[in-house]
Amino acid sequence: MHASPDTPRSRFAIVRLAALLAAFLLLAACAHAPPRNPLATWVPSPNYDIRRPVLIVLHFTDEHSAQEALDTLRTRNSGGPVSAHYLIGSDGHVYQLVPDQLRAWQAGPGRWGTITDLNSASIGIELDNDGHSPFAQPQIASLLRLLADLTTRLHIPPTQIIGHEDLAPGRKDDPGPLFPWQQLADAGFGRWPHAPLCDPPPGFDPWMAMAVVGYALDDRAAAVRSFHHHFRGMEGDTLDAQDLRILYNLAQQIEPSANTCTAPSPQAPTN
Protein backbone atom coordinates (compact mmCIF):
# COMPACT_ATOMS: atom_id res chain seq x y z
CA MET A 1 0.00 0.00 0.00
CA HIS A 2 1.46 3.40 -1.02
CA ALA A 3 1.47 6.33 1.39
CA SER A 4 -0.93 9.14 0.54
CA PRO A 5 0.73 12.46 -0.49
CA ASP A 6 -1.03 14.03 2.50
CA THR A 7 0.44 11.69 5.14
CA PRO A 8 3.18 12.89 7.53
CA ARG A 9 5.47 10.24 6.08
CA SER A 10 5.06 11.63 2.54
CA ARG A 11 5.52 15.22 3.70
CA PHE A 12 8.70 14.20 5.52
CA ALA A 13 10.01 12.49 2.37
CA ILE A 14 9.33 15.61 0.29
CA VAL A 15 11.07 17.87 2.81
CA ARG A 16 14.03 15.51 2.99
CA LEU A 17 14.30 15.38 -0.80
CA ALA A 18 14.17 19.19 -1.00
CA ALA A 19 16.92 19.48 1.61
CA LEU A 20 19.12 17.01 -0.25
CA LEU A 21 18.57 18.90 -3.51
CA ALA A 22 19.46 22.22 -1.87
CA ALA A 23 22.63 20.71 -0.41
CA PHE A 24 23.58 19.29 -3.81
CA LEU A 25 23.08 22.65 -5.50
CA LEU A 26 25.15 24.38 -2.82
CA LEU A 27 27.99 21.90 -3.26
CA ALA A 28 27.82 22.30 -7.04
CA ALA A 29 28.00 26.07 -6.71
CA CYS A 30 30.98 25.81 -4.37
CA ALA A 31 32.75 23.45 -6.74
CA HIS A 32 32.64 26.09 -9.49
CA ALA A 33 33.25 29.12 -7.27
CA PRO A 34 36.66 30.76 -7.51
CA PRO A 35 38.99 29.99 -4.58
CA ARG A 36 38.91 32.36 -1.63
CA ASN A 37 41.90 33.34 0.46
CA PRO A 38 41.65 31.62 3.88
CA LEU A 39 43.64 34.50 5.41
CA ALA A 40 40.81 36.95 4.73
CA THR A 41 37.16 37.30 5.66
CA TRP A 42 34.97 36.92 2.58
CA VAL A 43 32.84 40.06 2.17
CA PRO A 44 31.67 39.85 -1.45
CA SER A 45 31.25 42.89 -3.67
CA PRO A 46 29.18 42.96 -6.88
CA ASN A 47 31.65 45.42 -8.47
CA TYR A 48 33.79 43.16 -10.65
CA ASP A 49 33.92 41.81 -14.18
CA ILE A 50 35.17 38.84 -16.19
CA ARG A 51 38.16 38.82 -18.52
CA ARG A 52 37.36 40.83 -21.66
CA PRO A 53 39.40 39.75 -24.69
CA VAL A 54 40.09 42.49 -27.25
CA LEU A 55 41.65 40.41 -30.01
CA ILE A 56 41.05 37.18 -31.95
CA VAL A 57 44.07 35.13 -33.08
CA LEU A 58 43.79 32.61 -35.94
CA HIS A 59 46.00 29.53 -36.24
CA PHE A 60 46.36 26.46 -38.42
CA THR A 61 46.82 23.18 -36.55
CA ASP A 62 49.59 21.70 -38.74
CA GLU A 63 48.08 18.29 -37.94
CA HIS A 64 46.56 15.56 -40.08
CA SER A 65 43.01 15.64 -38.69
CA ALA A 66 40.72 17.48 -36.32
CA GLN A 67 40.89 14.54 -33.89
CA GLU A 68 44.68 14.68 -33.85
CA ALA A 69 44.48 18.41 -33.17
CA LEU A 70 41.94 17.85 -30.37
CA ASP A 71 44.32 15.35 -28.76
CA THR A 72 47.21 17.84 -28.97
CA LEU A 73 45.14 20.70 -27.57
CA ARG A 74 43.93 18.64 -24.61
CA THR A 75 47.15 16.90 -23.54
CA ARG A 76 50.77 17.65 -22.81
CA ASN A 77 52.92 17.35 -25.96
CA SER A 78 56.64 17.56 -26.68
CA GLY A 79 56.59 21.35 -26.75
CA GLY A 80 54.54 21.67 -23.55
CA PRO A 81 50.78 21.97 -23.04
CA VAL A 82 48.89 24.13 -25.54
CA SER A 83 45.21 24.87 -26.03
CA ALA A 84 42.79 27.16 -27.83
CA HIS A 85 39.28 28.38 -27.22
CA TYR A 86 37.95 26.89 -30.47
CA LEU A 87 38.89 24.40 -33.16
CA ILE A 88 37.13 24.35 -36.54
CA GLY A 89 37.36 21.15 -38.57
CA SER A 90 37.79 21.15 -42.32
CA ASP A 91 34.15 20.04 -42.52
CA GLY A 92 33.09 23.18 -40.65
CA HIS A 93 32.35 21.53 -37.30
CA VAL A 94 33.13 23.90 -34.41
CA TYR A 95 34.59 22.57 -31.14
CA GLN A 96 35.04 24.67 -27.98
CA LEU A 97 37.85 23.64 -25.63
CA VAL A 98 38.19 26.58 -23.23
CA PRO A 99 35.48 29.04 -22.05
CA ASP A 100 35.72 32.51 -23.60
CA GLN A 101 36.24 34.08 -20.17
CA LEU A 102 39.32 31.97 -19.39
CA ARG A 103 42.91 32.26 -20.66
CA ALA A 104 43.82 29.57 -23.19
CA TRP A 105 47.48 28.75 -23.87
CA GLN A 106 47.42 29.52 -27.58
CA ALA A 107 49.40 32.63 -28.48
CA GLY A 108 52.64 32.32 -26.54
CA PRO A 109 55.32 35.04 -26.53
CA GLY A 110 54.73 37.93 -28.91
CA ARG A 111 53.36 41.41 -29.30
CA TRP A 112 50.65 43.16 -31.25
CA GLY A 113 50.70 46.92 -30.92
CA THR A 114 50.92 47.61 -27.20
CA ILE A 115 49.56 44.18 -26.20
CA THR A 116 52.28 41.90 -24.82
CA ASP A 117 50.29 39.30 -22.84
CA LEU A 118 48.41 37.93 -25.84
CA ASN A 119 46.93 34.93 -24.04
CA SER A 120 45.20 37.21 -21.55
CA ALA A 121 43.91 39.58 -24.23
CA SER A 122 42.75 37.22 -26.97
CA ILE A 123 40.49 34.41 -28.14
CA GLY A 124 42.35 31.66 -30.01
CA ILE A 125 40.79 29.82 -32.94
CA GLU A 126 42.56 26.79 -34.46
CA LEU A 127 41.74 25.73 -38.02
CA ASP A 128 42.19 22.09 -39.03
CA ASN A 129 44.73 22.60 -41.81
CA ASP A 130 48.16 21.09 -42.48
CA GLY A 131 49.71 24.45 -43.37
CA HIS A 132 50.22 23.55 -47.03
CA SER A 133 46.67 23.17 -48.35
CA PRO A 134 43.92 25.66 -49.19
CA PHE A 135 41.40 26.22 -46.40
CA ALA A 136 38.09 24.43 -46.99
CA GLN A 137 35.11 26.69 -47.66
CA PRO A 138 32.83 24.94 -45.09
CA GLN A 139 35.54 25.74 -42.55
CA ILE A 140 35.74 29.40 -43.57
CA ALA A 141 31.94 29.67 -43.52
CA SER A 142 31.91 28.37 -39.92
CA LEU A 143 34.75 30.72 -39.02
CA LEU A 144 32.76 33.71 -40.31
CA ARG A 145 29.74 32.67 -38.24
CA LEU A 146 31.93 32.24 -35.17
CA LEU A 147 33.62 35.62 -35.71
CA ALA A 148 30.22 37.29 -36.00
CA ASP A 149 29.19 35.70 -32.69
CA LEU A 150 32.39 36.52 -30.82
CA THR A 151 32.77 40.11 -32.00
CA THR A 152 29.12 40.83 -31.17
CA ARG A 153 28.83 38.97 -27.90
CA LEU A 154 32.26 39.88 -26.49
CA HIS A 155 32.39 43.38 -28.02
CA ILE A 156 35.67 42.69 -29.83
CA PRO A 157 36.28 45.22 -32.64
CA PRO A 158 35.87 43.39 -35.99
CA THR A 159 39.20 44.83 -37.17
CA GLN A 160 41.00 43.11 -34.29
CA ILE A 161 41.45 39.73 -35.96
CA ILE A 162 45.02 38.67 -36.75
CA GLY A 163 47.12 35.62 -37.47
CA HIS A 164 49.47 33.90 -35.05
CA GLU A 165 52.41 34.91 -37.22
CA ASP A 166 51.35 38.57 -37.08
CA LEU A 167 52.01 38.69 -33.35
CA ALA A 168 55.09 36.46 -33.46
CA PRO A 169 57.02 37.17 -36.71
CA GLY A 170 59.82 34.67 -37.26
CA ARG A 171 58.58 32.34 -34.52
CA LYS A 172 55.24 31.36 -36.07
CA ASP A 173 54.00 31.09 -39.65
CA ASP A 174 50.29 30.32 -39.22
CA PRO A 175 47.77 30.69 -40.69
CA GLY A 176 50.15 31.31 -43.63
CA PRO A 177 49.95 32.79 -47.12
CA LEU A 178 47.08 30.50 -48.22
CA PHE A 179 44.66 31.87 -45.66
CA PRO A 180 41.88 33.93 -47.36
CA TRP A 181 42.19 37.20 -45.44
CA GLN A 182 40.39 39.15 -48.17
CA GLN A 183 37.35 36.87 -47.86
CA LEU A 184 37.22 37.72 -44.17
CA ALA A 185 37.60 41.42 -44.97
CA ASP A 186 34.77 41.24 -47.49
CA ALA A 187 32.60 39.89 -44.64
CA GLY A 188 33.69 42.75 -42.37
CA PHE A 189 36.44 41.08 -40.33
CA GLY A 190 40.09 42.00 -39.98
CA ARG A 191 41.92 44.97 -41.41
CA TRP A 192 42.40 45.23 -45.19
CA PRO A 193 43.48 48.02 -47.58
CA HIS A 194 40.68 49.93 -49.28
CA ALA A 195 40.98 50.86 -52.96
CA PRO A 196 42.30 53.00 -54.45
CA LEU A 197 45.87 52.51 -53.29
CA CYS A 198 48.01 55.63 -53.48
CA ASP A 199 51.70 56.36 -53.54
CA PRO A 200 52.55 57.67 -50.06
CA PRO A 201 53.62 61.30 -49.66
CA PRO A 202 57.28 62.33 -49.31
CA GLY A 203 58.69 61.49 -45.92
CA PHE A 204 56.40 58.51 -45.38
CA ASP A 205 58.04 56.03 -42.99
CA PRO A 206 56.92 52.46 -43.81
CA TRP A 207 58.40 51.10 -40.57
CA MET A 208 56.37 53.50 -38.49
CA ALA A 209 53.32 52.42 -40.49
CA MET A 210 54.14 48.76 -39.76
CA ALA A 211 54.23 49.60 -36.06
CA VAL A 212 50.95 51.54 -36.30
CA VAL A 213 49.31 48.49 -37.88
CA GLY A 214 50.57 46.40 -34.96
CA TYR A 215 53.75 44.60 -36.04
CA ALA A 216 56.72 44.34 -33.71
CA LEU A 217 59.93 45.45 -35.43
CA ASP A 218 62.52 43.53 -33.42
CA ASP A 219 63.19 41.47 -36.56
CA ARG A 220 62.16 43.61 -39.52
CA ALA A 221 62.71 40.93 -42.15
CA ALA A 222 60.49 38.51 -40.21
CA ALA A 223 57.84 41.21 -39.78
CA VAL A 224 57.80 41.80 -43.54
CA ARG A 225 57.42 38.06 -44.20
CA SER A 226 54.39 37.96 -41.90
CA PHE A 227 53.01 41.13 -43.50
CA HIS A 228 53.45 39.59 -46.98
CA HIS A 229 51.66 36.39 -45.92
CA HIS A 230 48.75 38.38 -44.52
CA PHE A 231 48.27 41.16 -47.05
CA ARG A 232 49.76 39.83 -50.28
CA GLY A 233 49.65 36.03 -50.01
CA MET A 234 53.31 35.74 -50.98
CA GLU A 235 56.81 35.25 -49.62
CA GLY A 236 59.59 37.84 -49.34
CA ASP A 237 61.27 39.83 -46.60
CA THR A 238 61.88 43.21 -48.23
CA LEU A 239 59.39 46.03 -48.82
CA ASP A 240 58.54 47.11 -52.37
CA ALA A 241 56.50 49.99 -53.79
CA GLN A 242 53.20 48.08 -53.50
CA ASP A 243 53.93 47.31 -49.86
CA LEU A 244 54.37 51.03 -49.21
CA ARG A 245 51.02 51.78 -50.83
CA ILE A 246 49.32 49.11 -48.70
CA LEU A 247 51.00 50.31 -45.52
CA TYR A 248 50.06 53.92 -46.23
CA ASN A 249 46.44 52.85 -46.82
CA LEU A 250 46.29 50.82 -43.61
CA ALA A 251 47.96 53.53 -41.54
CA GLN A 252 45.48 56.10 -42.89
CA GLN A 253 42.61 53.88 -41.72
CA ILE A 254 44.05 53.83 -38.21
CA GLU A 255 45.50 57.35 -37.93
CA PRO A 256 43.98 59.52 -40.71
CA SER A 257 45.94 62.56 -41.83
CA ALA A 258 45.34 65.38 -44.29
CA ASN A 259 47.42 63.71 -47.00
CA THR A 260 45.61 63.10 -50.27
CA CYS A 261 45.95 60.39 -52.88
CA THR A 262 48.70 60.81 -55.46
CA ALA A 263 49.34 58.48 -58.39
CA PRO A 264 46.66 55.99 -57.43
CA SER A 265 47.36 52.34 -58.12
CA PRO A 266 44.65 50.56 -60.12
CA GLN A 267 43.69 47.88 -57.59
CA ALA A 268 43.94 46.66 -54.03
CA PRO A 269 45.85 43.46 -53.25
CA THR A 270 44.17 40.06 -53.43
CA ASN A 271 44.99 36.72 -51.89
Side-chain angles (χ1 to χ4, degrees):
M1 180 176 178
H2 295 288
S4 167
D6 294 328
T7 65
R9 183 178 178 184
S10 297
R11 288 196 295 272
F12 174 77
I14 293 171
V15 171
R16 186 170 182 270
L17 179 61
L20 288 173
L21 179 60
F24 173 78
L25 292 174
L26 180 62
L27 287 173
C30 291
H32 292 89
R36 299 171 185 174
N37 192 331
L39 299 179
T41 299
W42 176 248
V43 186
S45 169
N47 305 327
Y48 66 91
D49 207 348
I50 59 175
R51 180 186 86 105
R52 288 196 178 277
V54 296
L55 194 67
I56 296 174
V57 179
L58 305 183
H59 310 250
F60 59 51
T61 59
D62 197 17
E63 304 271 19
H64 298 98
S65 69
Q67 186 57 57
E68 186 176 335
L70 286 170
D71 293 341
T72 298
L73 294 168
R74 298 168 65 230
T75 59
R76 181 179 295 274
N77 57 77
S78 60
V82 295
S83 61
H85 294 90
Y86 298 92
L87 167 70
I88 304 179
S90 59
D91 61 355
H93 190 89
V94 179
Y95 305 85
Q96 184 169 12
L97 295 92
V98 177
D100 299 335
Q101 295 80 11
L102 299 184
R103 184 178 183 272
W105 300 339
Q106 46 95 18
R111 185 166 77 249
W112 185 249
T114 60
I115 303 172
T116 55
D117 185 356
L118 274 301
N119 281 337
S120 294
S122 65
I123 294 286
I125 302 176
E126 291 275 358
L127 301 169
D128 175 25
N129 181 280
D130 62 9
H132 310 287
S133 306
F135 291 80
Q137 280 307 304
Q139 183 178 60
I140 299 301
S142 290
L143 173 61
L144 292 175
R145 287 192 295 272
L146 181 58
L147 292 177
D149 166 68
L150 293 172
T151 55
T152 300
R153 184 166 47 82
L154 302 180
H155 306 290
I156 298 174
T159 55
Q160 290 289 82
I161 298 165
I162 64 170
H164 199 185
E165 64 179 324
D166 292 317
L167 68 90
R171 186 175 69 83
K172 291 296 180 180
D173 61 354
D174 56 314
L178 297 179
F179 185 76
W181 285 108
Q182 186 172 11
Q183 186 177 349
L184 262 66
D186 291 343
F189 301 110
R191 201 172 291 284
W192 193 255
H194 302 155
L197 295 181
C198 307
D199 289 334
F204 173 72
D205 184 346
W207 300 112
M208 183 175 292
M210 287 273 286
V212 167
V213 172
Y215 288 96
L217 300 179
D218 308 82
D219 183 338
R220 294 190 175 192
V224 172
R225 284 194 294 272
S226 295
F227 171 82
H228 278 165
H229 284 180
H230 190 133
F231 292 101
R232 300 190 67 184
M234 68 179 214
E235 302 293 340
D237 57 10
T238 58
L239 295 172
D240 62 20
Q242 185 72 346
D243 292 326
L244 268 59
R245 297 184 188 104
I246 295 170
L247 283 167
Y248 177 60
N249 189 290
L250 294 172
Q252 287 289 95
Q253 293 179 35
I254 300 167
E255 296 183 357
S257 70
N259 292 317
T260 57
C261 226
T262 59
S265 182
Q267 60 182 7
T270 58
N271 71 354

